Amino acid sequence: QLAMLRLFVFLIFSISLIPLGKLFGQAQFKLVPVDKVETSYNTVTCTAFQSGNQHFLYTAGDGNKIEVYKVQEDGSLDFVKNYVVTGGDKTVRGLITDKVHGTDFLFAGLKGVNAVEVYEIQPDGSLKSVFVLQDTDSTYLGIVITLEVIHMESDSYLFVGGLEKEPGLSSFKITEK
């Protein structure tokens, strides 16, 4: 009985020496504050973009603006510019960047106007509005929340979903001009 107790104590002591991260297979890391910036509205979505060795962050939320920040090497943020989306004082929910046919784009889900606004991203991170895709009776762009781009062997597709009365998801082939 004493041997069993010693074995039990030895096992408990040994297990206590193993870092919990290794025991449960989780990486051990910390999040260390670096910077903070004040935005025009509550931030609901953000996405990153890299142009050469420069990194940009696009943010949006409970307003009609997409804000652009340059991310410095140390993780700090420098405000670049904001862009007013089409449709007035409506909310922007989903943002995603992607390169399609050699051109960099930002796709913005305009929840308030049931649309997707497409911007061309310039090498300096600035945006140029290309067009707005409005909801129709045959699409599911009502109260747009989420966007995703998928590249297949030769084609690229934009998938858009939202808070529809009749739930659904729309797929759009992205073609060159």
Side-chain angles (χ1 to χ4, degrees):
Q1 220 174 9
L2 185 59
M4 287 299 281
L5 180 60
R6 284 183 180 166
L7 177 61
F8 179 74
V9 169
F10 173 77
L11 287 175
I12 295 299
F13 179 73
S14 298
I15 290 173
S16 71
L17 294 177
I18 299 172
L20 289 179
K22 290 183 180 178
L23 181 65
F24 295 110
Q26 297 174 348
Q28 296 295 305
F29 64 92
K30 295 187 325 185
L31 295 175
V32 179
V34 173
D35 194 9
K36 63 180 181 172
V37 292
E38 192 170 306
T39 56
S40 298
Y41 302 100
N42 288 329
T43 303
V44 176
T45 185
C46 70
T47 190
F49 172 74
Q50 182 175 354
S51 177
N53 62 353
Q54 296 181 41
H55 292 81
F56 297 94
L57 190 67
Y58 300 92
T59 69
D62 286 340
N64 65 342
K65 295 178 184 173
I66 296 172
E67 296 180 339
V68 182
Y69 297 89
K70 184 175 181 183
V71 182
Q72 298 301 326
E73 191 68 32
D74 65 357
S76 61
L77 299 169
D78 290 337
F79 177 76
V80 175
K81 187 173 182 178
N82 62 40
Y83 296 86
V84 175
V85 299
T86 300
D89 247 358
K90 303 300 179 179
T91 56
V92 181
R93 283 298 184 260
L95 290 176
I96 187 169
T97 61
D98 212 304
K99 183 182 288 288
V100 181
H101 302 295
T103 302
D104 295 310
F105 292 102
L106 172 76
F107 300 91
L110 307 183
K111 174 186 170 195
V113 292
N114 302 331
V116 174
E117 187 158 7
V118 180
Y119 294 88
E120 184 176 334
I121 303 173
Q122 307 302 305
D124 66 355
S126 63
L127 301 174
K128 177 185 171 192
S129 182
V130 178
F131 65 89
V132 177
L133 176 67
Q134 297 286 340
D135 193 17
T136 67
D137 290 340
S138 60
T139 59
Y140 291 98
L141 303 184
I143 312 176
V144 175
I145 297 291
T146 189
L147 304 107
E148 185 63 55
V149 174
I150 295 177
H151 299 278
M152 304 301 270
E153 193 170 313
S154 61
D155 295 311
S156 298
Y157 299 90
L158 174 67
F159 296 89
V160 182
L163 301 175
E164 298 279 341
K165 289 179 183 167
E166 284 185 37
L169 180 69
S170 293
S171 172
F172 301 92
K173 183 176 181 179
I174 304 169
T175 62
E176 293 184 69
K177 297 176 187 174

